[in-house]
Amino acid sequence: MAGRLINLYSDTQTRPSKAMRLAMAEAEVGDEQRGEDPSVNRLCEMTAELLGKEAAVFLPSGTMCNQLSIHIHCRPGEEIIAHRSAHILNFEGGGTAAFSGVQVQGLEGPGGRFSVEAARAAIRPKDRYHPQTRMIAVEQTANQGGGAIWPLGDILALGKLARQHALAYHMDGARLLNAVVAAGVPAKDFAAPFDSLWIDLSKGLGCPVGAVLAGSREFIEEAWRLKQRHGGAMRQAGIIAAAGIFALEHNVERLAEDHANARHFAESLRNLPGIWVDVDAVETNIVFFDIAGSELTAETFCAALKDKGVDLGGAGTRIRAVTHLDVTRDDIDAAIAAIREVLNEAKA
Ligand SMILES: *Cc1c(COP(=O)(O)O)cnc(C)c1O
């Protein structure tokens, strides 16, 4: 179909704005690998400060942030406790096993979260039969959990558990700033108990590329060694780091609009026949809904919507919509109208 696609597929689909491109064009640059790119250095300082950590390193992707952290914290044969739906377990090409020889024990729990009791019960006995538990990992927000927020109390309690058992504590903070804005909890407070955590620049913050990993000075030095080893060290990377600086300065508070749009989308969906959605589960910018009550599958539903200019993803009868800075309130209403049409045409 002609015209602009309404892209609810993911918050990775944003295009850099004019103002962001201008900031990139004017970025001061140098040799990042030698620590001489002023824009990269500034982005890392800003992120370390935001998260209350000693240091930070700029990486090409969130996946690399997770994989380097796992490699630093864990030895082959050891185990990570994470949610069954975690990105490290399902969407990183088996990197945890391939690069680090580490396995993940996936815990159950609603909203992509697990309880402190479940984590405690999952810690392996210290004997020669069991893989030895080395790390607890949480996703803030929980992607496959529908953008659910881990409450600060649970974050702190899990941190205490990790310390008691000398486990590393890692946050996949791809959407940490969504949680910060929605919950009104400072990033530093969420970050405090973690040995390592990162934020993605290429999700709701609207940058074309990049993520920033933070931790102690010693941890970041190790991360730098691995970044170099894997070919992730860059040169005049200030061009892309400038987008990150721009995003931290301009695109954080506005995440509240994305959350309001997601909520509006879910509330509008609730009135459509054949669709089931838990509106109260929508805490940030991700909406999962189920179309089992219609004649359609995720495949036929998404294909029909794409013909009408709306991009969504899904599997089985479960559909995911993600709001971001390239989706307006009017786009949400247009997407709802298109969904209504698709449902009516399927019935006819
Ligand atoms: C997107 C995402 C990642 C990976 O980030 P990339 O920058 O795409 O590599 C990791 N964890 C979660 C929860 C994500 O949503």
Side-chain angles (χ1 to χ4, degrees):
M1 119 155 200
R4 196 171 72 89
L5 190 72
I6 298 171
N7 203 324
L8 293 165
Y9 182 80
S10 170
D11 47 8
T12 56
Q13 304 296 301
T14 57
R15 306 289 157 91
S17 65
K18 268 214 172 84
M20 180 178 277
R21 286 169 192 256
L22 194 63
M24 296 172 76
E26 292 178 345
E28 265 191 84
V29 298
D31 189 342
E32 189 243 12
Q33 203 171 106
R34 297 180 71 198
E36 291 172 356
D37 188 295
S39 299
V40 172
N41 292 346
R42 169 118 194 277
L43 173 65
C44 291
E45 281 160 21
M46 284 172 77
T47 307
E49 162 72 24
L50 175 72
L51 301 178
K53 298 297 175 193
E54 284 177 358
V57 58
F58 185 43
L59 292 170
S61 70
T63 300
M64 197 183 262
C65 293
N66 277 336
Q67 290 302 324
L68 299 195
S69 300
I70 289 167
H71 198 78
I72 293 167
H73 293 311
C74 307
R75 300 280 79 85
E78 292 182 336
E79 190 170 74
I80 297 170
I81 292 171
H83 194 269
R84 205 169 84 84
S85 69
H87 202 277
I88 54 169
L89 180 52
N90 298 289
F91 305 112
E92 301 190 359
T96 305
F99 297 133
S100 301
V102 169
Q103 65 188 42
V104 180
Q105 187 185 165
L107 305 189
E108 302 285 346
R113 295 164 300 199
F114 49 85
S115 67
V116 179
E117 293 68 42
R120 191 189 314 278
I123 296 173
R124 304 287 194 166
K126 285 208 183 307
D127 62 26
R128 59 187 153 93
Y129 298 103
H130 292 87
Q132 292 299 284
T133 311
R134 183 55 54 217
M135 174 171 142
I136 298 176
V138 304
E139 264 178 41
Q140 182 74 303
T141 64
N143 180 346
Q144 294 299 306
I149 300 170
W150 283 81
L152 184 59
D154 288 12
I155 292 273
L156 297 175
L158 273 176
K160 205 166 143 198
L161 180 69
R163 261 197 317 282
Q164 279 166 356
H165 292 266
L167 307 178
Y169 193 29
H170 173 75
M171 179 197 281
D172 171 337
R175 296 184 183 80
L176 167 62
L177 296 179
N178 291 86
V180 165
V181 169
V185 173
K188 264 187 190 141
D189 293 2
F190 275 136
F194 291 93
D195 300 300
S196 52
L197 81 159
W198 59 274
I199 55 169
D200 218 327
L201 302 171
S202 65
K203 301 268 165 86
L205 293 181
C207 299
V209 60
V212 189
L213 174 65
S216 69
R217 216 174 295 286
E218 196 187 348
F219 172 84
I220 293 302
E221 248 172 62
E222 261 321 292
W224 247 112
R225 182 195 308 283
L226 295 173
K227 165 173 153 125
Q228 188 74 43
R229 180 181 295 167
H230 290 289
M234 295 176 271
R235 298 299 184 182
Q236 287 71 36
I239 288 280
I240 46 176
I245 295 170
F246 180 90
L248 289 178
E249 286 174 345
H250 298 96
N251 290 351
V252 176
E253 291 309 319
R254 63 149 309 286
L255 290 169
E257 289 171 39
D258 300 342
H259 303 162
N261 281 340
R263 182 115 198 145
H264 175 62
F265 182 68
E267 279 165 356
S268 308
L269 277 178
R270 186 161 55 180
N271 303 320
L272 300 182
I275 289 193
W276 184 86
V277 60
D278 181 358
V279 175
D280 291 333
V282 179
E283 298 183 51
T284 55
N285 69 327
I286 301 176
V287 180
F288 274 100
F289 58 99
D290 202 293
I291 57 168
S294 75
E295 307 295 313
L296 298 159
T297 64
E299 209 176 326
T300 53
F301 179 80
C302 292
L305 271 169
K306 196 140 190 195
D307 280 344
K308 296 186 187 297
V310 179
D311 199 4
L312 282 168
T317 57
R318 200 168 176 241
I319 312 291
R320 189 183 80 156
V322 188
T323 58
H324 52 75
L325 79 180
D326 288 354
V327 174
T328 65
R329 179 60 67 112
D330 286 348
D331 289 339
I332 296 291
D333 290 333
I336 291 291
I339 291 171
R340 189 191 302 275
E341 275 176 37
V342 164
L343 293 170
N344 284 340
E345 284 164 16
K347 242 192 313 187

